[in-house]
Amino acid sequence: VGLEQLQAFGVEWSTEPPNEQVRAEYDLLRQRVGDRAIEDLLQLASTNDSDLLDQMAVLEAVLPSAAFFDKNLHDLAVIRMARLSVEHGVCAASTQAFAHLSLALGPRFGDDRDGYRYGNLAVALAEREELARLRHKVYCVVAHHVLPWTRPLQAALSMMRRAIELAQAAGDPIYAAFSANHLISIALAAGVSLELVQSEAE
């Protein structure tokens, strides 16, 4: 359904795009970023372009299903969202795009450092009040896919607990469940006792 909706914006994607298409999209993103440091993207202005916001909303809605259905489709959507944000300005969905880049850049392109930097960018952007709508999703993704490999596990646990609180407050049961599941995994990896893990899970 999401891919059908994207056709209204001139986006014709297969449900299983080839690796070359994902690579080409990443190359375009890198071109648009140019010589700027990833951290400098925090200065990107917000956008109010209704067509762009609609397209970003569709792409963002595709992400959870694509993550389970086809890795190439997920990565292509995330990279496209990031490129549109760099080109036209950021919106709430941009924070999700930059957070999810950590799932693509390291495993696919070996750019683990850039994945970490984009994750930090996502958190910083999500702190802007006009971009805070998806903050719980950003915290969930960064706490699970960035912090455990780059910071002490306690930092990941702290952010994931906050993700659960924000997801529940936002009425988002899907990300509340994702966050709770990830919290258990991180807590076990951190050596938290099973009794405490069970009490948190309840």
Side-chain angles (χ1 to χ4, degrees):
V1 171
L3 294 183
E4 289 175 2
Q5 290 180 323
L6 286 175
Q7 292 175 11
F9 304 99
V11 178
E12 299 280 350
W13 285 349
S14 163
T15 55
E16 299 178 353
N19 291 330
E20 294 76 17
Q21 188 175 5
V22 182
R23 175 83 242 189
E25 190 68 35
Y26 182 45
D27 289 342
L28 283 175
L29 171 62
R30 295 178 67 184
Q31 289 174 19
R32 298 301 187 268
V33 173
D35 295 331
R36 287 175 291 182
I38 291 171
E39 292 74 15
D40 292 341
L41 300 180
L42 183 58
Q43 306 307 318
L44 289 170
S46 299
T47 181
N48 292 313
D49 184 307
S50 59
D51 286 342
L52 179 65
L53 292 174
D54 288 345
Q55 184 177 171
M56 291 287 283
V58 174
L59 287 164
E60 197 271 330
V62 165
L63 294 185
S65 297
F68 291 102
F69 177 74
D70 185 83
K71 184 72 165 68
N72 282 5
L73 180 58
H74 170 273
D75 292 355
L76 181 61
V78 166
I79 297 168
R80 173 64 60 88
M81 291 172 70
R83 178 169 69 82
L84 290 173
S85 301
V86 172
E87 291 177 348
H88 303 290
V90 293
C91 60
S94 303
T95 63
Q96 263 289 76
F98 292 129
H100 274 258
L101 276 177
S102 62
L103 283 72
L105 301 195
R108 182 179 294 276
F109 301 115
D111 291 342
D112 296 284
R113 184 169 179 269
D114 281 356
Y116 168 69
R117 294 166 71 192
Y118 276 116
N120 287 337
L121 172 66
V123 171
L125 285 172
E127 297 303 323
R128 281 164 50 173
E129 200 55 41
E130 75 273 18
L131 304 178
R133 181 172 57 84
L134 302 177
R135 187 182 292 167
H136 63 289
K137 295 184 178 184
V138 171
Y139 284 5
C140 174
V141 173
V142 172
H144 187 238
H145 294 283
V146 177
L147 294 186
W149 320 110
T150 58
R151 298 281 303 281
L153 287 176
Q154 289 303 321
L157 284 172
S158 178
M159 183 173 285
M160 195 64 77
R161 291 186 183 105
R162 185 65 179 138
I164 294 172
E165 293 173 1
L166 291 173
Q168 291 171 338
D172 188 342
I174 293 176
Y175 266 83
F178 283 163
S179 300
N181 181 60
H182 297 330
L183 178 67
I184 292 170
S185 299
I186 297 169
L188 291 174
V192 177
S193 71
L194 288 175
E195 182 178 354
L196 287 177
V197 172
Q198 184 174 4
S199 66
E200 280 210 280
E202 295 173 347

